[in-house]
Amino acid sequence: MSNTTTEKVRVDKYLWSIRVFKTRNQASTACDTGKVKMNGAPVKAAKAVSVGDKFEIRGENRRWVIEVTGIISNRVAYSEAIKYYIDNTPDEGKLDAAYIPSAFQTGKRQSKIGRPTKKDRRSIEGFMEGGGEDE
C-alpha cells in the first residue's frame, strides 16, 4: 500500500479508494456535476488531493463532510479506508441513509398490484373452474 505524502492522487480516485463512491466513474461524474466541493469550491475530478483538504460530497442518499488525513490510491477494505479521512458529517446528514424502503424492497406485495401470488392464483383458478373437476 502506497501512502506517501509526495504522491499525487486525483480527487475521483481518492474518493473511490476511501469508499465514498462504488465506482471511479461515479466519483468522476459527481465531480463533473458539482456534487463534490473541495475547501468550499466545486472541484474537477483530475485535481490533486493533499492532506488537510476538506470535502463536501452530496451522494445518492447521504451527505458527507470529510477531512483528508492521508493519501491513498488503491481501494482497500472499509476498516483500512477510514484511517485516511475524518468524517465531520453533521448528524442530520447521516440520517439521510436511513430512508424508508418501498414495498418492492421489503418483499411484500401491495394489494391488487403486480402478479398474483401462487395462493392467489390457485384461489382464482378454483373460482373460475367452479370448484369442481368435471372435465
Side-chain angles (χ1 to χ4, degrees):
M1 182 168 30
S2 57
N3 56 356
T4 60
T5 55
T6 58
E7 183 181 1
K8 292 192 180 208
V9 178
R10 293 168 50 112
V11 171
D12 60 343
K13 191 169 186 178
Y14 177 78
L15 294 176
W16 165 76
S17 62
I18 63 168
R19 297 184 171 268
V20 173
F21 292 100
K22 283 186 179 181
T23 65
R24 223 173 125 185
N25 189 26
Q26 285 178 344
S28 178
T29 303
C31 290
D32 293 341
T33 56
K35 293 183 179 178
V36 178
K37 291 184 178 181
M38 184 165 82
N39 300 324
V43 66
K44 299 280 185 188
K47 182 111 169 101
V49 177
S50 57
V51 176
D53 286 339
K54 292 180 174 72
F55 287 99
E56 294 175 35
I57 306 147
R58 286 182 294 135
E60 291 268 332
N61 46 8
R62 185 170 175 195
R63 191 173 151 260
W64 298 73
V65 178
I66 62 171
E67 183 178 344
V68 179
T69 58
I71 305 297
I72 182 173
S73 62
N74 296 328
R75 194 166 170 98
V76 292
Y78 176 76
S79 58
E80 287 292 315
I82 59 175
K83 297 174 184 174
Y84 294 94
Y85 67 93
I86 299 171
D87 191 354
N88 296 325
T89 307
D91 289 338
E92 62 268 9
K94 292 179 182 178
L95 294 177
D96 293 345
Y99 69 97
I100 300 168
S102 71
F104 292 111
Q105 287 146 343
T106 61
K108 293 188 177 179
R109 184 174 155 279
Q110 290 180 338
S111 177
K112 300 176 184 163
I113 295 178
R115 294 178 60 178
T117 62
K118 194 170 189 177
K119 183 178 178 184
D120 293 341
R121 195 178 69 246
R122 285 185 176 151
S123 66
I124 291 169
E125 287 173 356
F127 175 75
M128 296 298 282
E129 291 175 1
E133 293 283 331
D134 294 313
E135 297 175 44

